[in-house]
Amino acid sequence: MVKRILNCKHTSLGRSTIDGVEVESFQTTDPNFMDGSMGEVDVKIWAAVKTSLPVRIEVDKSEENKGHLHIVVCDFQWDVPVDAAEFEPVIPDHYTPGRPMLQILPKKKPAADEETSMNQEAEKKKRAMQAEMGMKMLAMSKQAVIDEEAAIKGLKLFAELDSSYPEALDMPVLVSELARIVKGGGPSAKAFRETIQGMTDEEAMNYKLETVLSAQGLGRFYQTLVQDKKDPAYYGKSVTPEDADQVLMRWKVSDNEYRVIFGTLKAETVTAEALAELEKLPLE
């Protein structure tokens, strides 16, 4: 954590003492922190002068219409002896692999008597399919090509489901936005759920899997741009799918050229001077 802050743009806050330990503190608001996965965030860390180990960490993050998040991590204990037996996992007999990303999407509605008629063999089969799909999602995620096409596919998904774009492209926001949309009452969300109802269990799982991976591809592409210091910017808070001339997203591709995705998801390469003019255009 200390190295991550020092590798970003940061400010030294000087030395002080916490619980009798001399510490040096640093602060960063650099969007590159944690490879951009946290979005806009304010992080402070106090590290012991003698060991360079964290003594206290504070994280502040605000999201529009979602309030303010303040996290404090303290009372660290380092080099504490532990028994190896404590690391032995205790797995309940009824445990099945979870599907946290897929669980944000609506399930196919079962028939009225399905729960009462399902026998143990059918339940085992269902669990096996869920585990298989979890592994499939992991494999597909690793094999996915993360590029401009993946980003446009993800943006198109949100435009079709909600007639708007996500407010930000860090992964927590994308997951939250996708969950809100597909569980909402809009016509696109209802159509999404109706589509699932007409599918078999496996078809529905694959459909939801593709949906989640599209959102992931968008977030991972933007995160890659941040990591590679491509000077990316995203304007989903204000740009809509109808804004043909507005810059929705852009990143640097050469010393004097930027790749731009407009509100209508048209993409083209422009000079830095042309980009500056485009970003001056007022929203109608």
Side-chain angles (χ1 to χ4, degrees):
M1 179 70 78
V2 177
K3 288 183 178 179
R4 284 182 178 272
I5 285 185
L6 296 181
N7 286 335
C8 296
K9 294 179 181 178
H10 65 277
T11 302
S12 176
L13 302 179
R15 294 191 177 189
S16 58
T17 301
I18 297 179
D19 296 332
V21 178
E22 185 181 13
V23 297
E24 187 163 1
S25 53
F26 305 91
Q27 179 181 20
T28 184
T29 56
D30 191 337
N32 292 311
F33 178 69
M34 296 297 288
D35 297 329
S37 62
M38 297 183 69
E40 296 181 6
V41 67
D42 184 343
V43 181
K44 300 183 185 72
I45 189 167
W46 289 260
V49 173
K50 287 186 177 181
T51 64
S52 297
L53 294 172
V55 174
R56 182 182 178 90
I57 300 171
E58 292 187 10
V59 179
D60 286 278
K61 181 176 175 61
S62 296
E63 293 184 11
E64 190 173 343
N65 301 323
K66 295 182 182 179
H68 180 84
L69 179 66
H70 179 66
I71 301 173
V72 177
V73 185
C74 57
D75 298 328
F76 290 95
Q77 298 182 53
W78 303 103
D79 297 326
V80 177
V82 293
D83 190 326
E86 294 184 31
F87 295 95
E88 290 294 329
V90 180
I91 304 176
D93 294 336
H94 60 276
Y95 170 79
T96 57
R99 299 173 295 125
M101 288 294 291
L102 293 180
Q103 287 171 355
I104 68 172
L105 301 179
K107 298 179 181 178
K108 182 183 177 185
K109 187 176 180 180
D113 60 347
E114 182 178 349
E115 290 294 331
T116 56
S117 64
M118 184 179 294
N119 56 32
Q120 290 185 346
E121 191 62 34
E123 180 66 19
K124 288 181 180 179
K125 183 178 179 180
K126 180 180 178 181
R127 291 178 180 177
M129 185 182 72
Q130 291 175 349
E132 180 183 352
M133 292 308 300
M135 295 300 294
K136 183 177 180 181
M137 179 178 178
L138 180 61
M140 290 177 66
S141 180
K142 289 182 177 180
Q143 296 172 3
V145 177
I146 306 304
D147 56 10
E148 177 186 308
E149 184 178 348
I152 291 177
K153 182 179 179 181
L155 290 166
K156 184 178 180 182
L157 168 71
F158 283 94
E160 291 178 344
L161 285 176
D162 199 42
S163 300
S164 66
Y165 296 117
E167 292 185 355
L169 298 184
D170 47 304
M171 203 63 73
V173 173
L174 289 174
V175 173
S176 175
E177 288 284 290
L178 185 58
R180 175 189 62 79
I181 292 169
V182 299
K183 292 180 180 179
S188 296
K190 290 180 180 178
F192 183 91
R193 292 193 290 270
E194 289 171 358
T195 299
I196 291 176
Q197 291 302 313
M199 296 178 173
T200 64
D201 287 341
E202 185 172 358
E203 288 172 341
M205 193 73 73
N206 282 325
Y207 185 66
K208 291 188 285 185
L209 179 61
E210 287 292 338
T211 301
V212 170
L213 289 176
S214 293
Q216 276 191 341
L218 171 59
R220 290 174 63 189
F221 178 68
Y222 192 79
Q223 184 175 333
T224 298
L225 296 177
V226 173
Q227 291 173 351
D228 294 343
K229 296 180 170 48
K230 296 295 185 181
D231 189 28
Y234 174 71
Y235 304 103
K237 283 185 179 181
S238 53
V239 176
T240 73
E242 286 74 41
D243 294 323
D245 298 323
Q246 295 293 335
V247 176
L248 173 62
M249 181 176 170
R250 53 89 161 161
W251 63 96
K252 200 169 190 177
V253 293
S254 69
D255 289 343
N256 193 47
E257 289 184 319
Y258 281 79
R259 191 67 175 163
V260 174
I261 298 177
F262 294 91
T264 54
L265 301 185
K266 176 186 70 173
E268 64 180 62
T269 301
V270 301
T271 64
E273 293 77 14
L275 174 65
E277 293 301 316
L278 286 169
E279 291 184 324
K280 289 180 182 178
L281 291 176
L283 289 170
E284 297 181 357

